[in-house]
Amino acid sequence: MDFDFAALLLALTVLTGVVWAIDRLFFHRRRLERAAARGETPREPVLVDYARSFFPVILAVLVFRSFIAEPFRIPSGSMMPTLLVGDFILVNKFAYGLRLPAFNTKILATGEPHRGDVIVFRYPPDPSQDYIKRVIGLPGDEVTVREDKVFINGKPIIQDPIGPYAGGDAESRMLERAGAVVRIEHLDGVDHRIIAIPGLGESRDGTWRVPQNCYFAMGDNRDNSLDSRFWGCVPEQNLVGKAFLIWFSWKGVDHGIDFGRIGTVVK
């Protein structure tokens, strides 16, 4: 069963706020007057006490998470080598417009994705899931992929070879055995590393025209990424935010915390 934390936060905020407001409007003064007449210390009902205590805390979390920044955990290797499994990232929630929590309705336009942005979005075939990829094509672009090489409107995106890929975890060792290489891709001023397996990318070749209000997104691990080459573009209304920082990185019980990745800016 899918769990919508934003909807839960919104429901708790409304519930605690309503309970507290009703008590203040209709019962609080009477309770004080009765206690004063009896010479007693006024006591709030337990439910009201909890509502008054938790409402500002839950509201603050809701506002921060919905309009400022939200944490996410990287569950797969589709964005290697930029993001690794076990990385915890922060996502800028106001980069592409402020949206109502749970309803995802845009209430204020603040910007649009740029080519090269690493975005979190609701997976178009199943919006209950959050995905993370890199923006390659903007509305109106024609994107062509040939053997992991990208062409935008007929112009090739420059990729400089770095060398064979090497890493320490199980997925990295699989990539090494497959002959994966690292390249620097220069995408409209955003220089970032990608992983490709020579000869494997042909099955993902094709040309796509990006519709209006939609974005073509790909993983940096080009031959191990379920992205726009398979399910189409990311609609604007599915955008969640822009990834900007790795705030924690957990490599499992055997390897523990990767302190070297904490504080890394996502680019």
Side-chain angles (χ1 to χ4, degrees):
M1 182 176 63
D2 296 312
F3 179 70
D4 192 335
F5 188 61
L8 175 62
L9 275 178
L10 180 61
L12 289 174
T13 302
V14 171
L15 178 62
T16 54
V18 167
V19 169
W20 188 19
I22 289 176
D23 178 73
R24 295 291 296 187
L25 289 173
F26 300 106
F27 304 107
H28 179 70
R29 179 174 294 179
R30 297 181 195 174
R31 191 165 56 247
L32 293 179
E33 291 173 351
R34 287 197 300 266
R38 298 171 183 172
E40 299 174 349
T41 302
R43 293 184 180 180
E44 287 184 335
V46 174
L47 180 61
V48 175
D49 184 40
Y50 277 118
R52 178 179 56 80
S53 300
F54 285 111
F55 172 72
V57 177
I58 299 173
L59 178 62
V61 173
L62 178 68
V63 170
F64 184 86
R65 187 181 184 275
S66 300
F67 302 125
I68 301 176
E70 182 177 358
F72 287 88
R73 181 181 181 276
I74 302 301
S76 73
S78 70
M79 282 298 292
M80 295 172 64
T82 304
L83 298 171
L84 306 180
V85 176
D87 284 346
F88 290 77
I89 63 170
L90 285 178
V91 172
N92 181 342
K93 296 298 292 287
F94 57 84
Y96 309 133
L98 299 183
R99 299 174 186 270
L100 290 176
F103 297 98
N104 299 306
T105 302
K106 183 185 288 188
I107 56 176
L108 180 65
T110 58
E112 298 176 349
H114 296 86
R115 207 186 317 277
D117 285 0
V118 178
I119 61 172
V120 171
F121 55 92
R122 298 191 307 282
Y123 180 42
D126 182 5
S128 66
Q129 299 184 46
D130 292 317
Y131 266 40
I132 183 167
K133 305 293 178 187
R134 187 180 298 275
V135 174
I136 302 295
L138 301 176
D141 282 345
E142 181 183 81
V143 178
T144 298
V145 180
R146 298 184 195 141
E147 298 184 11
D148 297 314
K149 304 293 178 61
V150 179
F151 300 78
I152 298 177
N153 301 321
K155 181 180 179 180
I157 300 301
I158 303 300
Q159 295 179 352
D160 295 328
I162 298 297
Y165 177 75
D169 57 14
E171 188 161 2
S172 295
R173 289 192 290 271
M174 291 176 60
L175 288 169
E176 290 177 39
R177 289 194 293 269
V181 297
V182 181
R183 300 169 184 160
I184 295 289
E185 185 173 71
H186 306 280
L187 191 61
D188 277 11
V190 179
D191 300 336
H192 62 100
R193 294 182 301 162
I194 66 169
I195 296 175
I197 301 176
L200 187 61
E202 295 181 4
S203 62
R204 298 163 176 83
D205 288 356
T207 298
W208 299 264
R209 173 70 68 177
V210 186
Q212 293 301 312
N213 299 314
C214 224
Y215 299 89
F216 193 90
M218 295 172 62
D220 289 348
N221 190 353
R222 291 291 161 82
D223 297 311
N224 185 25
S225 174
L226 182 64
D227 52 38
S228 289
R229 293 171 290 178
F230 299 90
W231 41 255
C233 66
V234 179
E236 188 276 338
Q237 62 265 28
N238 285 48
L239 295 174
V240 173
K242 178 182 178 181
F244 69 95
L245 183 73
I246 299 173
W247 64 273
F248 188 70
S249 187
W250 172 254
K251 299 309 175 189
V253 176
D254 294 335
H255 300 284
I257 301 173
D258 188 345
F259 290 98
R261 294 187 62 77
I262 296 176
T264 301
V265 176
V266 178
K267 60 181 181 178

